Amino acid sequence: MNKFLLTLTALLLAIPVLGQSLKEPESSTFGLDAKDAAAVRQIRSRMAQIRKTRPTVALVLSGGGAKGAAAVGALKYLEQYDFPIDMIVGTSIGGMVGAMYAMGYDADFLDSLFKNMDWSVALSDKVDRKYVPYSRIRYKEKYVLSFPFYYRADDYKNFIQGDMPFAAGRSRQLQLGAEEGEMSTLARNNLLGSLPSGFVFGQNVNQVITSHTLGYSDSTNFFKLPTPFACVATDMASGRAKVWHDGSINLAMRSTMSIPGLFAPVRTDGMVLVDGGLRNNFPVNIAREMGADIIIGIDLSGDNATATEIQNLADILSATMNLFDDDAFNQNVKSVDIRIHPDVTGYNMLSFSRVAIDTMYIRGYKAAEAMKPQLDALRHRLGNAKRKLQAKPAVALSAHPVRINDIDIVGVDEREEEYILSKMKVKPGMQVSKSQIEEDIAAIFGKGSYDYVTYELRGTGEPYELRILCKRGPMHQIGLGARMDTQDIVSLLLNVGLFTHSMSGSSVDLTARISVNPYLDIRYSNSAPNFSTFNVRMDGRYLSRTSFYAGESTYNIQMLNANQEVYFSNMHWSSFDVKLGIRNSFSRIYNILSNNNQASVYNLSSNTNMDYLGVILEGRMETLDNGYFPTKGVSVGLRATAFSDVMKWGNSFPLNAVVASDGKFPVTFGRFALIPQYNIRFIIGPRPPAVYSNMIGDDFQGRYIEHQIPFVGLNQLAVVRDQLAILRLDLRYRLFKNHYVSLMGNAGYAFDAFNKTIAEGDWLGGVGLGYAYHSIVGPIKGTLHWSNVTHKVGFYLSIGYNF
């Protein structure tokens, strides 16, 4: 969400400047330089040879985003005429559809692609959670805003001046001072310069494109495709049209449909390329310049929107494109010979629902059918001439697994390349499918070290070379979180991470919570590509007058708890998190108030120091699809610790051990979700002080005390006996999108030891009825509840993520 707001703001600020640039006169034929002009002369010569026997025919496809489905419907009707098509020229979605048609795909294939694609994924950079490291999932579920940033001005300059859209490797030197005495250099290049240039970098749309261009992924002359092809993009730097006729067909398709603010631009040859619709959304003039005598144009434009019709981002983007292209479009409409103009009323460039796609396809077919008299006349004029492909069609990887002979990774250093190759399932010599390659791509991208990762299968036939292209992302991050609730009123969370997005090496992560119960967490990590991550961590929590129950007593305390850890983990795993190390936990109680002065029963008194040293082993497997409103997957954790009271080492050697486990297993049926959960925590050895004992209460785990277990019906904390087992069951119903109602209940049993006293334990119970809304700033929740610990009805309200 934060990237969307930033890029939309940038787009709106840039519109006046862009508009001035696009109105500048062009110095050559539709903006071509000498090289491009020579290519046009070449294709014109070829058209001249065809013209000796019949008129030349061009197909021109306009832009329109999702409305491209209507163009596919029109193509389906045109195919029955089998017209010879001597060239195809397109813009935006017309460029993508036109390129695939030029590479030999027919309308039925394109129809299937439009209708079966999950456009919500294709138009995003999302990958399945199973490819995202556990640490990154946890991070995203805490922070409302996250800002990545670069760390050297030279790196940023190399990126923006590069000739490829994929940045080269960068050194790990951290620079905190401004260069040449200018403080603005730091702010612009390290922070502002690394803000995203689009809401979507193009991770998934690149996959769609490249999986359909096998045989033509190498740099090639587009006039040598099965049908000669050209497409239009807009260079933001010069304001001129970029007419693609050679080079990378993947880059051409990606750039022609890069809607400003929605997709990041394509950088190549010193240009910053965005959607061609800003410059020429219906490129009839280009086809005419290339030697077309007869032009069949599929125009996806609608009438200019009224003020009441401009309601959302898609409407704004459509109106913006029409604003810049209006003059050129009017001239091109007059020049087209047969204009197929589907009725796309009620739809915009982001209308990618299945119903919308089906409807626009049918409207496109009917619009072409309405031109039957003109099409019949053209068929008669062309005689017996039929469409004939001049080269073999491209290969669709989704339908045809292929063999690869080599793997080349671009945009990484040698150490990263070695690590990536060792983790990939695809190996040279294998016959691979689309899903196999894209699983490896998702695993690389999911690490978070790159803005996007895509691939090409280079070569004209099997075996292909698999080329993986990685664009480095910012290595550092700043995260901001906020939460309001009836317990702490307002809490803020700040995170600064240095090198936390690097594939390997050292990183530092600092997290601070600002509230009535603040904490500070500092962690140093060193990650080796093929070994565990080494960590040193220090954290401190201050509890201010936190109320809790212990037996028949209630307490309010002021306490400092500080932990120091040295441990190994593996932050590269996606569904698993492990931790093995040594931990020292120190606590000091500054003040304690009791309703019956029985604090000493729980080893609690003012000015008391407590220090425990021990070993820890933790493991967790998590495959939940959502941390707050899961519908599938599992979450299971197991923790074991053994620790000794340092304060008593001179007299004895008291040893405690704790074994704990928790799990969550959602099951969904329709709008209902049944979510069983469990928590178990056994303490073996002498009873520790209350702050290290079993504690239950509050809305989420570890809010005040790290080992606290959430319990429905209890806003405060309660100390319970040393052996504890809790079962919880939530029945959740989805009212509308993002609205949920839940009936919650938990029951537990706590006892002192596994002997005769087990029957003398305490039964614990609580129930609650809650409503939740899944908002962009985190869950908004309200719960009415009761428990047999307080024997009172309580209420809890919160806004924001848990931290």
Side-chain angles (χ1 to χ4, degrees):
M1 181 63 191
N2 51 299
K3 290 200 296 186
F4 169 76
L5 294 174
L6 290 168
T7 51
L8 180 57
T9 302
L11 171 63
L12 296 176
L13 292 174
I15 284 176
V17 177
L18 181 60
Q20 294 174 6
S21 176
L22 293 178
K23 293 177 182 178
E24 293 177 0
E26 296 174 346
S27 58
S28 61
T29 305
F30 54 85
L32 298 185
D33 58 20
K35 176 185 174 182
D36 291 342
V40 169
R41 288 194 295 271
Q42 179 185 10
I43 192 67
R44 286 176 65 91
S45 176
R46 178 178 173 179
M47 294 301 107
Q49 292 298 316
I50 297 174
R51 194 176 292 111
K52 293 178 180 179
T53 58
R54 60 168 176 82
T56 57
V57 180
L59 178 64
V60 175
L61 306 173
S62 82
K67 293 181 284 187
V72 176
L75 288 175
K76 177 61 179 176
Y77 183 82
L78 289 175
E79 283 183 345
Q80 66 180 294
Y81 286 93
D82 199 19
F83 291 130
I85 299 176
D86 301 305
M87 69 180 75
I88 300 174
V89 183
T91 294
S92 194
I93 194 66
M96 181 177 176
V97 171
M100 296 187 68
Y101 207 65
M103 286 186 288
Y105 296 104
D106 61 18
D108 285 337
F109 185 91
L110 293 172
D111 178 39
S112 176
L113 184 66
F114 262 83
K115 292 179 179 178
N116 295 328
M117 187 181 302
D118 186 343
W119 287 98
S120 65
V121 174
L123 298 179
S124 75
D125 292 328
K126 295 186 297 185
V127 295
D128 194 291
R129 282 169 65 101
K130 67 182 180 181
Y131 299 114
V132 182
Y134 180 85
S135 56
R136 288 194 66 210
I137 292 175
R138 295 281 74 82
Y139 187 90
K140 292 181 178 180
E141 291 176 348
K142 288 184 179 181
Y143 296 94
V144 177
L145 298 175
S146 177
F147 302 93
F149 62 97
Y150 295 104
Y151 46 90
R152 291 189 66 193
D154 288 345
D155 293 332
Y156 180 66
K157 292 175 183 176
N158 290 337
F159 167 62
I160 63 174
Q161 294 174 0
D163 290 333
M164 288 292 290
F166 313 102
R170 297 199 286 262
S171 76
R172 295 177 55 80
Q173 178 182 350
L174 176 64
Q175 178 170 323
L176 296 178
E179 293 186 357
E180 299 178 358
E182 296 182 5
M183 186 59 69
S184 61
T185 302
L186 174 68
R188 176 175 174 79
N189 293 332
N190 282 15
L191 295 175
L192 299 180
S194 56
L195 294 179
S197 51
F199 184 40
V200 176
F201 280 106
Q203 171 67 23
N204 293 327
V205 76
N206 278 333
Q207 315 289 54
V208 173
I209 291 171
T210 198
S211 65
H212 292 93
T213 60
L214 275 68
Y216 295 100
S217 291
D218 295 356
S219 181
T220 187
N221 185 337
F222 298 174
F223 297 155
K224 294 182 179 180
L225 294 177
T227 301
F229 171 72
C231 67
V232 183
T234 301
D235 180 14
M236 293 280 284
S238 68
R240 297 170 61 185
K242 159 62 179 173
V243 180
W244 284 93
H245 60 81
D246 69 354
S248 168
I249 189 70
N250 295 344
L251 280 186
M253 295 166 69
R254 171 66 175 80
S255 66
T256 189
M257 57 184 295
S258 293
I259 301 170
L262 180 60
F263 285 106
V266 170
R267 297 176 181 272
T268 183
D269 295 331
M271 296 179 291
V272 182
L273 300 177
V274 296
D275 196 293
L278 287 172
R279 196 64 186 88
N280 193 341
N281 199 41
F282 192 34
V284 174
N285 61 323
I286 294 177
R288 196 70 75 186
E289 288 282 348
M290 290 168 58
D293 298 321
I294 300 171
I295 296 178
I296 303 173
I298 302 177
D299 171 21
L300 303 178
S301 66
D303 296 331
N304 291 333
T306 64
T308 57
E309 293 173 329
I310 301 177
Q311 299 290 338
N312 52 44
L313 174 62
D315 297 332
I316 293 172
L317 292 174
S318 296
T320 301
M321 306 281 269
N322 294 337
L323 175 67
F324 290 140
D325 180 53
D326 198 42
D327 293 339
F329 174 80
N330 291 334
Q331 291 297 321
N332 284 326
V333 166
K334 296 176 182 178
S335 180
V336 70
D337 296 286
I338 299 177
R339 181 192 179 202
I340 299 173
H341 189 202
D343 177 13
V344 290
T345 303
Y347 299 101
N348 57 48
M349 63 174 57
L350 297 182
S351 299
F352 282 107
S353 70
R354 180 59 188 266
V355 172
I357 294 294
D358 288 342
T359 301
M360 288 186 287
Y361 176 88
I362 294 171
R363 290 186 183 183
Y365 187 93
K366 291 183 177 180
E369 187 178 37
M371 302 302 293
K372 186 177 186 303
Q374 293 91 326
L375 296 173
D376 288 341
L378 177 59
R379 176 72 276 175
H380 177 75
R381 183 178 177 185
L382 294 173
N384 294 324
K386 306 290 185 180
R387 187 183 183 199
K388 182 180 179 180
L389 302 181
Q390 67 177 24
K392 63 178 182 180
V395 176
L397 184 58
S398 57
H400 303 283
V402 298
R403 188 170 302 280
I404 61 171
N405 62 352
D406 194 18
I407 300 176
D408 181 32
I409 304 178
V410 178
V412 301
D413 57 34
E414 292 182 3
R415 191 178 185 184
E416 291 174 331
E417 181 177 16
E418 179 184 357
Y419 172 72
I420 291 172
L421 289 173
S422 70
K423 297 299 182 182
M424 289 180 61
K425 296 179 181 179
V426 171
K427 305 294 182 183
M430 290 178 57
Q431 187 171 22
V432 297
S433 65
K434 178 176 181 287
S435 61
Q436 287 176 301
I437 294 177
E438 293 187 357
E439 282 181 8
D440 277 342
I441 297 298
I444 299 170
F445 176 70
K447 304 301 181 187
S449 297
Y450 307 102
D451 280 341
Y452 60 83
V453 180
T454 188
Y455 70 95
E456 296 174 347
L457 287 167
R458 301 177 70 84
T460 58
E462 294 189 61
Y464 294 95
E465 177 196 39
L466 174 59
R467 188 183 190 209
I468 299 175
L469 309 163
C470 303
K471 177 191 174 297
R472 285 187 179 275
M475 293 297 167
H476 312 313
Q477 66 187 7
I478 296 175
L480 298 174
R483 177 182 176 85
M484 293 183 292
D485 60 33
T486 50
Q487 293 295 94
D488 291 344
I489 309 303
V490 177
S491 298
L492 301 177
L493 192 67
L494 172 66
N495 170 262
V496 177
L498 302 178
F499 302 108
T500 51
H501 289 298
S502 60
M503 292 286 282
S504 61
S506 297
S507 63
V508 177
D509 196 80
L510 185 150
T511 304
R513 180 175 71 184
I514 304 171
S515 74
V516 294
N517 293 284
Y519 69 69
L520 178 66
D521 187 304
I522 304 173
R523 186 182 69 239
Y524 165 82
S525 301
N526 188 284
S527 178
N530 294 303
F531 192 69
S532 297
T533 301
F534 173 75
N535 306 269
V536 177
R537 178 188 175 195
M538 296 178 291
D539 72 79
R541 294 170 178 254
Y542 184 75
L543 276 67
S544 176
R545 307 193 68 81
T546 297
S547 298
F548 66 90
Y549 297 85
E552 300 298 325
S553 305
T554 60
Y555 300 89
N556 286 283
I557 65 173
Q558 291 178 319
M559 183 187 74
L560 174 66
N561 175 241
N563 301 292
Q564 305 85 42
E565 297 178 340
V566 178
Y567 62 94
F568 289 94
S569 65
N570 198 323
M571 298 175 66
H572 292 295
W573 291 354
S574 53
S575 301
F576 298 90
D577 187 42
V578 295
K579 182 176 181 179
L580 173 63
I582 300 172
R583 177 177 191 173
N584 183 71
S585 182
F586 172 83
S587 295
R588 179 178 177 84
I589 298 177
Y590 293 97
N591 188 26
I592 183 167
L593 298 175
S594 172
N595 65 338
N596 60 8
N597 297 316
Q598 296 296 313
S600 59
V601 174
Y602 293 92
N603 302 321
L604 294 176
S605 61
S606 298
N607 301 314
T608 298
N609 293 334
M610 295 166 283
D611 197 1
Y612 285 82
L613 177 67
V615 295
I616 54 174
L617 173 62
E618 299 182 4
R620 173 163 292 280
M621 180 186 75
E622 180 162 322
T623 61
L624 298 177
D625 59 343
N626 187 285
Y628 293 93
F629 302 96
T631 60
K632 60 182 179 179
V634 299
S635 176
V636 179
L638 178 64
R639 293 171 296 281
T641 62
F643 54 91
S644 176
D645 188 343
V646 176
M647 296 295 181
K648 297 181 180 180
W649 278 8
N651 302 318
S652 62
F653 193 76
L655 182 68
N656 287 79
V658 176
V659 178
S661 180
D662 65 275
K664 182 182 293 187
F665 312 91
V667 179
T668 303
F669 43 99
R671 290 179 174 268
F672 286 95
L674 193 64
I675 310 172
Q677 303 170 61
Y678 75 88
N679 275 279
I680 298 172
R681 192 169 189 265
F682 295 151
I683 301 176
I684 304 169
R687 164 162 285 188
V691 293
Y692 297 117
S693 298
N694 288 333
M695 284 195 175
I696 63 172
D698 211 274
D699 186 54
F700 58 92
Q701 187 161 348
R703 176 170 182 163
Y704 299 118
I705 301 293
E706 188 176 25
H707 57 264
Q708 112 190 29
I709 296 172
F711 195 82
V712 176
L714 184 60
N715 282 343
Q716 305 295 339
L717 300 180
V719 179
V720 296
R721 298 177 188 265
D722 290 353
Q723 323 305 327
L724 173 67
I726 297 175
L727 295 178
R728 173 172 171 171
L729 187 63
D730 292 3
L731 179 61
R732 189 182 70 216
Y733 179 74
R734 181 169 60 86
L735 284 171
F736 312 103
K737 184 178 181 180
N738 297 323
H739 293 263
Y740 304 90
V741 173
S742 297
L743 181 62
M744 302 162 284
N746 47 210
Y749 191 68
F751 54 95
D752 286 326
F754 290 95
N755 51 36
K756 295 181 180 180
T757 61
I758 189 172
E760 300 175 3
D762 299 321
W763 284 100
L764 308 167
V767 294
L769 177 64
Y771 161 81
Y773 173 67
H774 195 185
S775 76
I776 61 175
V777 296
I780 300 175
K781 298 188 295 183
T783 304
L784 190 66
H785 54 71
W786 177 91
S787 78
N788 68 347
V789 178
T790 63
H791 297 282
K792 296 178 181 178
V793 175
F795 179 74
Y796 180 76
L797 176 66
S798 68
I799 302 173
Y801 294 115
N802 296 339
F803 56 80

